[in-house]
PDB file of all heavy atoms in Angstrom:
ATOM      1  N   ARG A   1       7.288  -7.466  15.532  1.00 95.00           N
ATOM      2  CA  ARG A   1       7.659  -6.514  16.573  1.00 95.00           C
ATOM      3  C   ARG A   1       9.171  -6.302  16.554  1.00 95.00           C
ATOM      4  O   ARG A   1       9.926  -7.234  16.278  1.00 95.00           O
ATOM      5  CB  ARG A   1       7.238  -7.045  17.949  1.00 95.00           C
ATOM      6  CG  ARG A   1       5.732  -7.188  18.129  1.00 95.00           C
ATOM      7  CD  ARG A   1       5.386  -7.804  19.473  1.00 95.00           C
ATOM      8  NE  ARG A   1       6.030  -9.103  19.662  1.00 95.00           N
ATOM      9  CZ  ARG A   1       5.628 -10.013  20.548  1.00 95.00           C
ATOM     10  NH1 ARG A   1       4.587  -9.756  21.333  1.00 95.00           N
ATOM     11  NH2 ARG A   1       6.268 -11.162  20.669  1.00 95.00           N
ATOM     12  N   PRO A   2       9.629  -5.075  16.838  1.00 96.00           N
ATOM     13  CA  PRO A   2      11.074  -4.821  16.850  1.00 96.00           C
ATOM     14  C   PRO A   2      11.804  -5.755  17.818  1.00 96.00           C
ATOM     15  O   PRO A   2      11.361  -5.976  18.945  1.00 96.00           O
ATOM     16  CB  PRO A   2      11.165  -3.370  17.328  1.00 96.00           C
ATOM     17  CG  PRO A   2       9.873  -2.756  16.921  1.00 96.00           C
ATOM     18  CD  PRO A   2       8.849  -3.851  17.082  1.00 96.00           C
ATOM     19  N   ASP A   3      12.919  -6.283  17.340  1.00 96.00           N
ATOM     20  CA  ASP A   3      13.765  -7.144  18.165  1.00 96.00           C
ATOM     21  C   ASP A   3      15.126  -6.469  18.292  1.00 96.00           C
ATOM     22  O   ASP A   3      15.955  -6.528  17.377  1.00 96.00           O
ATOM     23  CB  ASP A   3      13.908  -8.521  17.522  1.00 96.00           C
ATOM     24  CG  ASP A   3      14.774  -9.469  18.350  1.00 96.00           C
ATOM     25  OD1 ASP A   3      15.263  -9.045  19.417  1.00 96.00           O
ATOM     26  OD2 ASP A   3      14.968 -10.617  17.919  1.00 96.00           O
ATOM     27  N   ILE A   4      15.346  -5.797  19.416  1.00 97.00           N
ATOM     28  CA  ILE A   4      16.604  -5.061  19.620  1.00 97.00           C
ATOM     29  C   ILE A   4      17.565  -5.820  20.521  1.00 97.00           C
ATOM     30  O   ILE A   4      18.456  -5.230  21.132  1.00 97.00           O
ATOM     31  CB  ILE A   4      16.337  -3.645  20.174  1.00 97.00           C
ATOM     32  CG1 ILE A   4      15.634  -3.697  21.539  1.00 97.00           C
ATOM     33  CG2 ILE A   4      15.515  -2.829  19.182  1.00 97.00           C
ATOM     34  CD1 ILE A   4      15.544  -2.335  22.219  1.00 97.00           C
ATOM     35  N   THR A   5      17.403  -7.140  20.555  1.00 97.00           N
ATOM     36  CA  THR A   5      18.269  -7.968  21.407  1.00 97.00           C
ATOM     37  C   THR A   5      19.748  -7.742  21.105  1.00 97.00           C
ATOM     38  O   THR A   5      20.567  -7.557  22.018  1.00 97.00           O
ATOM     39  CB  THR A   5      17.933  -9.457  21.229  1.00 97.00           C
ATOM     40  OG1 THR A   5      16.556  -9.665  21.540  1.00 97.00           O
ATOM     41  CG2 THR A   5      18.798 -10.309  22.132  1.00 97.00           C
ATOM     42  N   LEU A   6      20.109  -7.772  19.818  1.00 97.00           N
ATOM     43  CA  LEU A   6      21.516  -7.591  19.442  1.00 97.00           C
ATOM     44  C   LEU A   6      22.009  -6.194  19.803  1.00 97.00           C
ATOM     45  O   LEU A   6      23.176  -6.005  20.169  1.00 97.00           O
ATOM     46  CB  LEU A   6      21.695  -7.856  17.952  1.00 97.00           C
ATOM     47  CG  LEU A   6      21.418  -9.288  17.482  1.00 97.00           C
ATOM     48  CD1 LEU A   6      21.552  -9.395  15.972  1.00 97.00           C
ATOM     49  CD2 LEU A   6      22.376 -10.268  18.158  1.00 97.00           C
ATOM     50  N   LEU A   7      21.133  -5.222  19.697  1.00 97.00           N
ATOM     51  CA  LEU A   7      21.502  -3.851  20.046  1.00 97.00           C
ATOM     52  C   LEU A   7      21.792  -3.732  21.543  1.00 97.00           C
ATOM     53  O   LEU A   7      22.748  -3.059  21.959  1.00 97.00           O
ATOM     54  CB  LEU A   7      20.366  -2.911  19.642  1.00 97.00           C
ATOM     55  CG  LEU A   7      20.695  -1.429  19.483  1.00 97.00           C
ATOM     56  CD1 LEU A   7      21.725  -1.217  18.390  1.00 97.00           C
ATOM     57  CD2 LEU A   7      19.433  -0.638  19.188  1.00 97.00           C
ATOM     58  N   ILE A   8      20.974  -4.380  22.350  1.00 98.00           N
ATOM     59  CA  ILE A   8      21.189  -4.367  23.803  1.00 98.00           C
ATOM     60  C   ILE A   8      22.489  -5.082  24.154  1.00 98.00           C
ATOM     61  O   ILE A   8      23.277  -4.610  24.986  1.00 98.00           O
ATOM     62  CB  ILE A   8      19.997  -5.011  24.529  1.00 98.00           C
ATOM     63  CG1 ILE A   8      18.714  -4.201  24.271  1.00 98.00           C
ATOM     64  CG2 ILE A   8      20.273  -5.127  26.015  1.00 98.00           C
ATOM     65  CD1 ILE A   8      18.797  -2.753  24.698  1.00 98.00           C
ATOM     66  N   LYS A   9      22.733  -6.226  23.511  1.00 98.00           N
ATOM     67  CA  LYS A   9      23.973  -6.970  23.784  1.00 98.00           C
ATOM     68  C   LYS A   9      25.202  -6.159  23.366  1.00 98.00           C
ATOM     69  O   LYS A   9      26.232  -6.167  24.056  1.00 98.00           O
ATOM     70  CB  LYS A   9      23.944  -8.317  23.061  1.00 98.00           C
ATOM     71  CG  LYS A   9      22.960  -9.314  23.662  1.00 98.00           C
ATOM     72  CD  LYS A   9      23.042 -10.652  22.962  1.00 98.00           C
ATOM     73  CE  LYS A   9      22.085 -11.666  23.578  1.00 98.00           C
ATOM     74  NZ  LYS A   9      22.401 -11.950  25.001  1.00 98.00           N
ATOM     75  N   ALA A  10      25.098  -5.456  22.240  1.00 98.00           N
ATOM     76  CA  ALA A  10      26.209  -4.616  21.791  1.00 98.00           C
ATOM     77  C   ALA A  10      26.442  -3.472  22.776  1.00 98.00           C
ATOM     78  O   ALA A  10      27.590  -3.097  23.055  1.00 98.00           O
ATOM     79  CB  ALA A  10      25.926  -4.068  20.391  1.00 98.00           C
ATOM     80  N   SER A  11      25.353  -2.935  23.327  1.00 98.00           N
ATOM     81  CA  SER A  11      25.473  -1.861  24.330  1.00 98.00           C
ATOM     82  C   SER A  11      26.132  -2.383  25.600  1.00 98.00           C
ATOM     83  O   SER A  11      26.914  -1.666  26.249  1.00 98.00           O
ATOM     84  CB  SER A  11      24.087  -1.282  24.637  1.00 98.00           C
ATOM     85  OG  SER A  11      23.501  -0.715  23.476  1.00 98.00           O
ATOM     86  N   GLU A  12      25.829  -3.620  25.964  1.00 98.00           N
ATOM     87  CA  GLU A  12      26.492  -4.231  27.116  1.00 98.00           C
ATOM     88  C   GLU A  12      27.997  -4.383  26.857  1.00 98.00           C
ATOM     89  O   GLU A  12      28.826  -4.151  27.748  1.00 98.00           O
ATOM     90  CB  GLU A  12      25.863  -5.587  27.421  1.00 98.00           C
ATOM     91  CG  GLU A  12      24.441  -5.499  27.967  1.00 98.00           C
ATOM     92  CD  GLU A  12      23.770  -6.850  28.076  1.00 98.00           C
ATOM     93  OE1 GLU A  12      24.311  -7.835  27.506  1.00 98.00           O
ATOM     94  OE2 GLU A  12      22.711  -6.943  28.722  1.00 98.00           O
ATOM     95  N   THR A  13      28.324  -4.772  25.627  1.00 98.00           N
ATOM     96  CA  THR A  13      29.738  -4.890  25.262  1.00 98.00           C
ATOM     97  C   THR A  13      30.439  -3.541  25.403  1.00 98.00           C
ATOM     98  O   THR A  13      31.535  -3.449  25.969  1.00 98.00           O
ATOM     99  CB  THR A  13      29.876  -5.401  23.818  1.00 98.00           C
ATOM    100  OG1 THR A  13      29.319  -6.719  23.728  1.00 98.00           O
ATOM    101  CG2 THR A  13      31.336  -5.440  23.383  1.00 98.00           C
ATOM    102  N   VAL A  14      29.796  -2.502  24.884  1.00 98.00           N
ATOM    103  CA  VAL A  14      30.366  -1.160  25.002  1.00 98.00           C
ATOM    104  C   VAL A  14      30.531  -0.780  26.474  1.00 98.00           C
ATOM    105  O   VAL A  14      31.556  -0.230  26.880  1.00 98.00           O
ATOM    106  CB  VAL A  14      29.476  -0.127  24.271  1.00 98.00           C
ATOM    107  CG1 VAL A  14      29.956   1.299  24.597  1.00 98.00           C
ATOM    108  CG2 VAL A  14      29.497  -0.357  22.776  1.00 98.00           C
ATOM    109  N   GLY A  15      29.530  -1.087  27.280  1.00 97.00           N
ATOM    110  CA  GLY A  15      29.578  -0.748  28.702  1.00 97.00           C
ATOM    111  C   GLY A  15      30.734  -1.399  29.435  1.00 97.00           C
ATOM    112  O   GLY A  15      31.244  -0.841  30.430  1.00 97.00           O
ATOM    113  N   ARG A  16      31.160  -2.553  28.960  1.00 97.00           N
ATOM    114  CA  ARG A  16      32.272  -3.257  29.624  1.00 97.00           C
ATOM    115  C   ARG A  16      33.644  -2.709  29.234  1.00 97.00           C
ATOM    116  O   ARG A  16      34.638  -3.010  29.899  1.00 97.00           O
ATOM    117  CB  ARG A  16      32.193  -4.758  29.309  1.00 97.00           C
ATOM    118  CG  ARG A  16      31.044  -5.462  30.007  1.00 97.00           C
ATOM    119  CD  ARG A  16      31.165  -6.978  29.884  1.00 97.00           C
ATOM    120  NE  ARG A  16      30.920  -7.452  28.531  1.00 97.00           N
ATOM    121  CZ  ARG A  16      29.739  -7.838  28.046  1.00 97.00           C
ATOM    122  NH1 ARG A  16      28.665  -7.776  28.823  1.00 97.00           N
ATOM    123  NH2 ARG A  16      29.610  -8.261  26.814  1.00 97.00           N
ATOM    124  N   VAL A  17      33.712  -1.936  28.155  1.00 98.00           N
ATOM    125  CA  VAL A  17      35.027  -1.476  27.674  1.00 98.00           C
ATOM    126  C   VAL A  17      35.167   0.040  27.647  1.00 98.00           C
ATOM    127  O   VAL A  17      36.277   0.555  27.491  1.00 98.00           O
ATOM    128  CB  VAL A  17      35.316  -2.033  26.259  1.00 98.00           C
ATOM    129  CG1 VAL A  17      35.362  -3.551  26.275  1.00 98.00           C
ATOM    130  CG2 VAL A  17      34.289  -1.539  25.237  1.00 98.00           C
ATOM    131  N   ILE A  18      34.082   0.759  27.827  1.00 98.00           N
ATOM    132  CA  ILE A  18      34.095   2.212  27.677  1.00 98.00           C
ATOM    133  C   ILE A  18      34.832   2.891  28.831  1.00 98.00           C
ATOM    134  O   ILE A  18      34.879   2.376  29.956  1.00 98.00           O
ATOM    135  CB  ILE A  18      32.641   2.742  27.576  1.00 98.00           C
ATOM    136  CG1 ILE A  18      32.617   4.170  27.034  1.00 98.00           C
ATOM    137  CG2 ILE A  18      31.941   2.658  28.934  1.00 98.00           C
ATOM    138  CD1 ILE A  18      31.221   4.663  26.705  1.00 98.00           C
ATOM    139  N   SER A  19      35.410   4.065  28.530  1.00 97.00           N
ATOM    140  CA  SER A  19      36.103   4.872  29.539  1.00 97.00           C
ATOM    141  C   SER A  19      35.534   6.289  29.544  1.00 97.00           C
ATOM    142  O   SER A  19      34.796   6.678  28.630  1.00 97.00           O
ATOM    143  CB  SER A  19      37.605   4.932  29.234  1.00 97.00           C
ATOM    144  OG  SER A  19      38.178   3.637  29.228  1.00 97.00           O
ATOM    145  N   ARG A  20      35.870   7.051  30.556  1.00 97.00           N
ATOM    146  CA  ARG A  20      35.402   8.434  30.649  1.00 97.00           C
ATOM    147  C   ARG A  20      35.874   9.249  29.443  1.00 97.00           C
ATOM    148  O   ARG A  20      37.030   9.141  29.024  1.00 97.00           O
ATOM    149  CB  ARG A  20      35.894   9.087  31.939  1.00 97.00           C
ATOM    150  CG  ARG A  20      35.096   8.665  33.159  1.00 97.00           C
ATOM    151  CD  ARG A  20      35.591   9.345  34.427  1.00 97.00           C
ATOM    152  NE  ARG A  20      34.681   9.087  35.545  1.00 97.00           N
ATOM    153  CZ  ARG A  20      34.695   7.970  36.257  1.00 97.00           C
ATOM    154  NH1 ARG A  20      35.571   7.023  35.972  1.00 97.00           N
ATOM    155  NH2 ARG A  20      33.816   7.805  37.246  1.00 97.00           N
ATOM    156  N   GLY A  21      34.954  10.044  28.907  1.00 97.00           N
ATOM    157  CA  GLY A  21      35.283  10.900  27.770  1.00 97.00           C
ATOM    158  C   GLY A  21      35.026  10.262  26.417  1.00 97.00           C
ATOM    159  O   GLY A  21      35.163  10.931  25.383  1.00 97.00           O
ATOM    160  N   ASP A  22      34.655   8.990  26.398  1.00 98.00           N
ATOM    161  CA  ASP A  22      34.436   8.288  25.127  1.00 98.00           C
ATOM    162  C   ASP A  22      33.091   8.651  24.507  1.00 98.00           C
ATOM    163  O   ASP A  22      32.179   9.150  25.171  1.00 98.00           O
ATOM    164  CB  ASP A  22      34.498   6.775  25.328  1.00 98.00           C
ATOM    165  CG  ASP A  22      35.905   6.284  25.659  1.00 98.00           C
ATOM    166  OD1 ASP A  22      36.840   7.108  25.608  1.00 98.00           O
ATOM    167  OD2 ASP A  22      36.057   5.086  25.968  1.00 98.00           O
ATOM    168  N   ILE A  23      32.978   8.365  23.199  1.00 98.00           N
ATOM    169  CA  ILE A  23      31.742   8.603  22.447  1.00 98.00           C
ATOM    170  C   ILE A  23      31.256   7.283  21.867  1.00 98.00           C
ATOM    171  O   ILE A  23      32.053   6.485  21.349  1.00 98.00           O
ATOM    172  CB  ILE A  23      31.969   9.622  21.314  1.00 98.00           C
ATOM    173  CG1 ILE A  23      32.247  11.012  21.905  1.00 98.00           C
ATOM    174  CG2 ILE A  23      30.757   9.694  20.389  1.00 98.00           C
ATOM    175  CD1 ILE A  23      32.492  12.085  20.866  1.00 98.00           C
ATOM    176  N   VAL A  24      29.940   7.065  21.949  1.00 98.00           N
ATOM    177  CA  VAL A  24      29.310   5.880  21.357  1.00 98.00           C
ATOM    178  C   VAL A  24      28.343   6.356  20.273  1.00 98.00           C
ATOM    179  O   VAL A  24      27.443   7.155  20.544  1.00 98.00           O
ATOM    180  CB  VAL A  24      28.537   5.058  22.405  1.00 98.00           C
ATOM    181  CG1 VAL A  24      28.014   3.772  21.774  1.00 98.00           C
ATOM    182  CG2 VAL A  24      29.417   4.759  23.600  1.00 98.00           C
ATOM    183  N   ILE A  25      28.550   5.869  19.051  1.00 98.00           N
ATOM    184  CA  ILE A  25      27.700   6.247  17.924  1.00 98.00           C
ATOM    185  C   ILE A  25      26.924   5.013  17.465  1.00 98.00           C
ATOM    186  O   ILE A  25      27.511   3.953  17.242  1.00 98.00           O
ATOM    187  CB  ILE A  25      28.538   6.798  16.750  1.00 98.00           C
ATOM    188  CG1 ILE A  25      29.412   7.964  17.215  1.00 98.00           C
ATOM    189  CG2 ILE A  25      27.625   7.228  15.596  1.00 98.00           C
ATOM    190  CD1 ILE A  25      30.455   8.392  16.203  1.00 98.00           C
ATOM    191  N   TYR A  26      25.619   5.168  17.342  1.00 98.00           N
ATOM    192  CA  TYR A  26      24.780   4.076  16.837  1.00 98.00           C
ATOM    193  C   TYR A  26      24.417   4.342  15.380  1.00 98.00           C
ATOM    194  O   TYR A  26      24.085   5.465  14.995  1.00 98.00           O
ATOM    195  CB  TYR A  26      23.512   3.940  17.683  1.00 98.00           C
ATOM    196  CG  TYR A  26      23.768   3.360  19.058  1.00 98.00           C
ATOM    197  CD1 TYR A  26      24.102   4.195  20.126  1.00 98.00           C
ATOM    198  CD2 TYR A  26      23.705   1.994  19.284  1.00 98.00           C
ATOM    199  CE1 TYR A  26      24.354   3.674  21.390  1.00 98.00           C
ATOM    200  CE2 TYR A  26      23.956   1.458  20.539  1.00 98.00           C
ATOM    201  CZ  TYR A  26      24.282   2.301  21.585  1.00 98.00           C
ATOM    202  OH  TYR A  26      24.535   1.784  22.834  1.00 98.00           O
ATOM    203  N   GLU A  27      24.489   3.265  14.573  1.00 97.00           N
ATOM    204  CA  GLU A  27      24.072   3.344  13.174  1.00 97.00           C
ATOM    205  C   GLU A  27      22.882   2.439  12.877  1.00 97.00           C
ATOM    206  O   GLU A  27      22.217   2.594  11.854  1.00 97.00           O
ATOM    207  CB  GLU A  27      25.232   2.991  12.237  1.00 97.00           C
ATOM    208  CG  GLU A  27      26.313   4.045  12.156  1.00 97.00           C
ATOM    209  CD  GLU A  27      26.914   4.154  10.764  1.00 97.00           C
ATOM    210  OE1 GLU A  27      26.465   3.425   9.857  1.00 97.00           O
ATOM    211  OE2 GLU A  27      27.826   4.974  10.578  1.00 97.00           O
ATOM    212  N   SER A  28      22.612   1.493  13.738  1.00 95.00           N
ATOM    213  CA  SER A  28      21.520   0.539  13.518  1.00 95.00           C
ATOM    214  C   SER A  28      20.182   1.267  13.450  1.00 95.00           C
ATOM    215  O   SER A  28      19.928   2.217  14.193  1.00 95.00           O
ATOM    216  CB  SER A  28      21.489  -0.489  14.652  1.00 95.00           C
ATOM    217  OG  SER A  28      22.744  -1.118  14.797  1.00 95.00           O
ATOM    218  N   THR A  29      19.313   0.806  12.556  1.00 95.00           N
ATOM    219  CA  THR A  29      17.992   1.409  12.413  1.00 95.00           C
ATOM    220  C   THR A  29      17.132   1.084  13.630  1.00 95.00           C
ATOM    221  O   THR A  29      17.013  -0.080  14.027  1.00 95.00           O
ATOM    222  CB  THR A  29      17.294   0.887  11.149  1.00 95.00           C
ATOM    223  OG1 THR A  29      18.120   1.172  10.011  1.00 95.00           O
ATOM    224  CG2 THR A  29      15.942   1.556  10.961  1.00 95.00           C
ATOM    225  N   VAL A  30      16.531   2.120  14.211  1.00 96.00           N
ATOM    226  CA  VAL A  30      15.711   1.950  15.409  1.00 96.00           C
ATOM    227  C   VAL A  30      14.517   2.893  15.336  1.00 96.00           C
ATOM    228  O   VAL A  30      14.439   3.753  14.465  1.00 96.00           O
ATOM    229  CB  VAL A  30      16.516   2.259  16.694  1.00 96.00           C
ATOM    230  CG1 VAL A  30      17.591   1.212  16.924  1.00 96.00           C
ATOM    231  CG2 VAL A  30      17.136   3.658  16.630  1.00 96.00           C
ATOM    232  N   TYR A  31      13.569   2.734  16.261  1.00 96.00           N
ATOM    233  CA  TYR A  31      12.486   3.699  16.370  1.00 96.00           C
ATOM    234  C   TYR A  31      13.012   4.938  17.093  1.00 96.00           C
ATOM    235  O   TYR A  31      13.972   4.868  17.873  1.00 96.00           O
ATOM    236  CB  TYR A  31      11.293   3.103  17.114  1.00 96.00           C
ATOM    237  CG  TYR A  31      11.640   2.301  18.333  1.00 96.00           C
ATOM    238  CD1 TYR A  31      11.958   2.918  19.538  1.00 96.00           C
ATOM    239  CD2 TYR A  31      11.673   0.905  18.279  1.00 96.00           C
ATOM    240  CE1 TYR A  31      12.298   2.179  20.659  1.00 96.00           C
ATOM    241  CE2 TYR A  31      12.013   0.156  19.397  1.00 96.00           C
ATOM    242  CZ  TYR A  31      12.321   0.797  20.579  1.00 96.00           C
ATOM    243  OH  TYR A  31      12.663   0.060  21.684  1.00 96.00           O
ATOM    244  N   PRO A  32      12.432   6.097  16.836  1.00 97.00           N
ATOM    245  CA  PRO A  32      12.892   7.315  17.507  1.00 97.00           C
ATOM    246  C   PRO A  32      12.844   7.175  19.025  1.00 97.00           C
ATOM    247  O   PRO A  32      11.831   6.791  19.594  1.00 97.00           O
ATOM    248  CB  PRO A  32      11.902   8.381  17.013  1.00 97.00           C
ATOM    249  CG  PRO A  32      11.413   7.856  15.702  1.00 97.00           C
ATOM    250  CD  PRO A  32      11.356   6.371  15.859  1.00 97.00           C
ATOM    251  N   GLY A  33      13.960   7.459  19.646  1.00 97.00           N
ATOM    252  CA  GLY A  33      14.059   7.370  21.097  1.00 97.00           C
ATOM    253  C   GLY A  33      14.830   6.170  21.600  1.00 97.00           C
ATOM    254  O   GLY A  33      15.232   6.129  22.773  1.00 97.00           O
ATOM    255  N   ALA A  34      15.071   5.186  20.737  1.00 97.00           N
ATOM    256  CA  ALA A  34      15.698   3.933  21.187  1.00 97.00           C
ATOM    257  C   ALA A  34      17.114   4.141  21.717  1.00 97.00           C
ATOM    258  O   ALA A  34      17.518   3.517  22.705  1.00 97.00           O
ATOM    259  CB  ALA A  34      15.699   2.909  20.055  1.00 97.00           C
ATOM    260  N   THR A  35      17.889   4.989  21.060  1.00 98.00           N
ATOM    261  CA  THR A  35      19.273   5.191  21.489  1.00 98.00           C
ATOM    262  C   THR A  35      19.337   5.650  22.940  1.00 98.00           C
ATOM    263  O   THR A  35      20.046   5.070  23.770  1.00 98.00           O
ATOM    264  CB  THR A  35      19.976   6.224  20.582  1.00 98.00           C
ATOM    265  OG1 THR A  35      20.011   5.719  19.239  1.00 98.00           O
ATOM    266  CG2 THR A  35      21.396   6.488  21.072  1.00 98.00           C
ATOM    267  N   GLU A  36      18.569   6.688  23.255  1.00 97.00           N
ATOM    268  CA  GLU A  36      18.662   7.277  24.591  1.00 97.00           C
ATOM    269  C   GLU A  36      17.765   6.589  25.619  1.00 97.00           C
ATOM    270  O   GLU A  36      18.051   6.629  26.818  1.00 97.00           O
ATOM    271  CB  GLU A  36      18.335   8.768  24.505  1.00 97.00           C
ATOM    272  CG  GLU A  36      19.388   9.538  23.703  1.00 97.00           C
ATOM    273  CD  GLU A  36      19.064  11.011  23.537  1.00 97.00           C
ATOM    274  OE1 GLU A  36      18.068  11.319  22.861  1.00 97.00           O
ATOM    275  OE2 GLU A  36      19.813  11.838  24.079  1.00 97.00           O
ATOM    276  N   GLU A  37      16.691   5.952  25.159  1.00 97.00           N
ATOM    277  CA  GLU A  37      15.764   5.315  26.096  1.00 97.00           C
ATOM    278  C   GLU A  37      16.104   3.851  26.364  1.00 97.00           C
ATOM    279  O   GLU A  37      15.835   3.340  27.457  1.00 97.00           O
ATOM    280  CB  GLU A  37      14.335   5.414  25.560  1.00 97.00           C
ATOM    281  CG  GLU A  37      13.822   6.848  25.461  1.00 97.00           C
ATOM    282  CD  GLU A  37      12.529   6.942  24.667  1.00 97.00           C
ATOM    283  OE1 GLU A  37      11.929   5.879  24.367  1.00 97.00           O
ATOM    284  OE2 GLU A  37      12.119   8.068  24.339  1.00 97.00           O
ATOM    285  N   ASP A  38      16.681   3.159  25.387  1.00 97.00           N
ATOM    286  CA  ASP A  38      16.952   1.725  25.530  1.00 97.00           C
ATOM    287  C   ASP A  38      18.434   1.398  25.646  1.00 97.00           C
ATOM    288  O   ASP A  38      18.814   0.544  26.449  1.00 97.00           O
ATOM    289  CB  ASP A  38      16.352   0.958  24.344  1.00 97.00           C
ATOM    290  CG  ASP A  38      14.846   1.060  24.285  1.00 97.00           C
ATOM    291  OD1 ASP A  38      14.197   0.715  25.280  1.00 97.00           O
ATOM    292  OD2 ASP A  38      14.312   1.495  23.249  1.00 97.00           O
ATOM    293  N   CYS A  39      19.262   2.063  24.838  1.00 98.00           N
ATOM    294  CA  CYS A  39      20.681   1.707  24.794  1.00 98.00           C
ATOM    295  C   CYS A  39      21.509   2.402  25.873  1.00 98.00           C
ATOM    296  O   CYS A  39      22.336   1.774  26.541  1.00 98.00           O
ATOM    297  CB  CYS A  39      21.252   2.031  23.410  1.00 98.00           C
ATOM    298  SG  CYS A  39      20.452   1.137  22.062  1.00 98.00           S
ATOM    299  N   VAL A  40      21.317   3.701  26.027  1.00 98.00           N
ATOM    300  CA  VAL A  40      22.109   4.460  26.994  1.00 98.00           C
ATOM    301  C   VAL A  40      21.983   3.903  28.410  1.00 98.00           C
ATOM    302  O   VAL A  40      23.001   3.748  29.110  1.00 98.00           O
ATOM    303  CB  VAL A  40      21.733   5.957  26.944  1.00 98.00           C
ATOM    304  CG1 VAL A  40      22.262   6.691  28.179  1.00 98.00           C
ATOM    305  CG2 VAL A  40      22.294   6.597  25.683  1.00 98.00           C
ATOM    306  N   PRO A  41      20.765   3.583  28.894  1.00 98.00           N
ATOM    307  CA  PRO A  41      20.678   3.011  30.249  1.00 98.00           C
ATOM    308  C   PRO A  41      21.475   1.723  30.418  1.00 98.00           C
ATOM    309  O   PRO A  41      21.996   1.453  31.508  1.00 98.00           O
ATOM    310  CB  PRO A  41      19.174   2.761  30.428  1.00 98.00           C
ATOM    311  CG  PRO A  41      18.510   3.746  29.521  1.00 98.00           C
ATOM    312  CD  PRO A  41      19.416   3.836  28.326  1.00 98.00           C
ATOM    313  N   VAL A  42      21.580   0.928  29.342  1.00 98.00           N
ATOM    314  CA  VAL A  42      22.369  -0.309  29.410  1.00 98.00           C
ATOM    315  C   VAL A  42      23.842   0.019  29.593  1.00 98.00           C
ATOM    316  O   VAL A  42      24.544  -0.608  30.406  1.00 98.00           O
ATOM    317  CB  VAL A  42      22.152  -1.160  28.134  1.00 98.00           C
ATOM    318  CG1 VAL A  42      23.104  -2.355  28.121  1.00 98.00           C
ATOM    319  CG2 VAL A  42      20.712  -1.630  28.044  1.00 98.00           C
TER     320      VAL A  42
END
């Protein structure tokens, strides 16, 4: 089963340092929808 634990932790890291107007680009292989459904909410 997909294990996106590291992806979620990386998204948390981004959330702690990001500022208004910034862009977050994901390169990690995921199932379609993971970026916006799993990472963005974090």
Side-chain angles (χ1 to χ4, degrees):
R1 296 176 303 199
D3 181 0
I4 61 171
T5 302
L6 295 177
L7 200 62
I8 297 302
K9 289 184 179 298
S11 299
E12 291 172 347
T13 297
V14 171
R16 289 191 290 268
V17 298
I18 196 171
S19 300
R20 282 181 171 81
D22 291 354
I23 292 180
V24 185
I25 305 169
Y26 288 88
E27 288 215 2
S28 306
T29 302
V30 292
Y31 43 79
T35 298
E36 294 177 294
E37 296 168 10
D38 296 304
C39 299
V40 165
V42 173

